[in-house]
Every structure is written in C-alpha cells, then in structure tokens.
Amino acid sequence: MSTNQEDKNLINTVKDLEAEPVNSLDAQQQQQARNDRRKQSQHDDNGKYKESYH
C-alpha cells in the first residue's frame, strides 16, 4: 500500500466517531442501520440470501 493512500478502516472509524449518538435511542438506531446494510449486502442480485461461512 502506498503511503499517500488513506486507510479505509481508519476513515470509517473516524466517520463513526464523528457521528456520536446523542442518546441510547440514537445509538440503537445507528446500530440497526449498520445491521440492515450488512444484512442487505449478504443478498445477491436476485434477492437471494447468500450463506457466509467463516
């Protein structure tokens, strides 16, 4: 990796820290939005769920 490229993981962490939730409801809603995006990314183009084995 080139030294002039930004680390994507660090960029996402900074963005998460900048969006600090105001209260527990906001925190829960932000977490649910992340979970929804993660769940959606596990589906293929036809809307079928793809099993991911770790």
Side-chain angles (χ1 to χ4, degrees):
M1 183 165 89
S2 176
T3 58
N4 61 353
Q5 291 181 335
E6 297 172 333
D7 184 340
K8 288 183 180 180
N9 291 324
L10 291 177
I11 295 299
N12 291 336
T13 300
V14 169
K15 287 179 183 177
D16 287 345
L17 291 173
E18 288 174 347
E20 184 176 329
V22 176
N23 57 35
S24 62
L25 176 61
D26 289 338
Q28 190 276 334
Q29 290 177 332
Q30 286 182 11
Q31 183 63 45
Q32 188 61 49
R34 281 192 292 272
N35 291 345
D36 291 346
R37 287 190 301 271
R38 185 175 299 124
K39 183 77 171 178
Q40 185 63 37
S41 71
Q42 294 175 340
H43 290 75
D44 62 15
D45 294 334
N46 298 326
K48 302 274 186 183
Y49 180 75
K50 296 184 294 186
E51 290 288 335
S52 58
Y53 299 101
H54 299 282

